[in-house]
């Protein structure tokens, strides 16, 4: 199953966009924020990063929990999961940045102007031939759109740095 997940990384999004849109349309989520959120909620790259991080968790921790009488779920939630702070920080930052900056999928599934994401909204603002592009406003909005990414990074900075510094250490 893991190998099948890894193979899907090689498939470009342009290949899967029509089947994904048909599924979203059958569910009735076109032109809603859920159409952007749900199909991209589980990312294969995130699964890969989580698996690699979990392989680095020492087996001695899990064995010690089993010796103390903990079952598999108890050992996972009480011993392994608390050590995954850096993993959670890295995954939150990467997932938020990917979804915040995504352009193609929101452009396909969001049709009303009130639901557009910031990158799609900026592109419609600059590509409207009816009026000259207000470049000052476009640059101001583009600058302001960096703020949510900066806030998420600052909140999860400690976990992100721990995750980077523990890379390669067994």
């Amino acid at each position: 199953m893991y190998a099948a997940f890894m193979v899907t990384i090689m498939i470009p999004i342009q290949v899967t966009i029509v089947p994904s849109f048909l599924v979203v349309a059958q569910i009735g989520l076109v032109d809603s924020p859920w159409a952007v959120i749900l199909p991209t909620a589980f990312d294969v790259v995130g699964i890969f990063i989580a698996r690699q991080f979990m392989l680095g968790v020492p087996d001695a921790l899990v064995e010690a929990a089993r010796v103390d009488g903990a079952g598999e779920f108890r050992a996972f939630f009480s011993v392994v999961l608390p050590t995954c702070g850096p993993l959670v920080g890295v995954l939150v930052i990467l997932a938020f940045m990917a979804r915040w900056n995504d352009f193609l999928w929101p452009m396909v599934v969001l049709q009303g102007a009130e639901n557009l994401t910031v990158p799609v909204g900026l592109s419609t603002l600059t590509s409207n031939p009816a009026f000259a592009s207000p470049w000052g406003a476009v640059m101001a909005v583009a600058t302001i759109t960096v703020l949510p990414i900066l806030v998420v990074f600052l909140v999860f900075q400690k976990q992100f740095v721990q995750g980077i510094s523990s890379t390669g250490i067994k």
Side-chain angles (χ1 to χ4, degrees):
M1 188 173 195
Y2 178 71
F5 278 142
M6 292 300 103
V7 168
T8 63
I9 290 177
M10 294 185 283
I11 301 171
I13 191 170
Q14 292 84 358
V15 172
T16 62
I17 206 154
V18 171
S20 297
F21 180 80
L22 293 175
V23 169
V24 168
Q26 285 181 342
I27 297 173
L29 295 177
V30 174
D31 201 27
S32 75
W34 290 108
V36 177
I37 297 168
L38 289 179
T40 58
F42 300 102
D43 189 17
V44 177
V45 175
I47 293 170
F48 173 74
I49 292 171
R51 179 184 180 270
Q52 293 305 110
F53 186 89
M54 293 292 180
L55 288 176
V57 174
D59 292 334
L61 289 175
V62 179
E63 290 173 13
R66 287 185 191 135
V67 168
D68 289 341
E72 291 297 320
F73 288 109
R74 174 87 176 174
F76 177 76
F77 286 109
S78 297
V79 177
V80 176
L81 202 57
T83 65
C84 295
L87 170 67
V88 171
V90 167
L91 289 179
V92 166
I93 290 172
L94 293 178
F96 182 78
M97 283 182 56
R99 300 311 160 251
W100 184 259
N101 292 324
D102 195 10
F103 181 79
L104 181 61
W105 180 247
M107 187 176 71
V108 170
V109 295
L110 299 177
Q111 297 165 352
E114 65 276 354
N115 288 331
L116 293 181
T117 60
V118 175
V120 177
L122 275 174
S123 76
T124 59
L125 182 64
T126 59
S127 64
N128 190 347
F131 58 91
S133 296
W135 289 109
V138 170
M139 292 300 135
V141 171
T143 302
I144 291 172
T145 60
V146 173
L147 293 178
I149 293 175
L150 186 63
V151 168
V152 168
F153 178 76
L154 291 176
V155 168
F156 289 99
Q157 178 183 11
K158 180 180 175 188
Q159 290 85 0
F160 186 75
V161 171
Q162 283 178 346
I164 297 298
S165 65
S166 68
T167 301
I169 299 174
K170 273 281 194 183

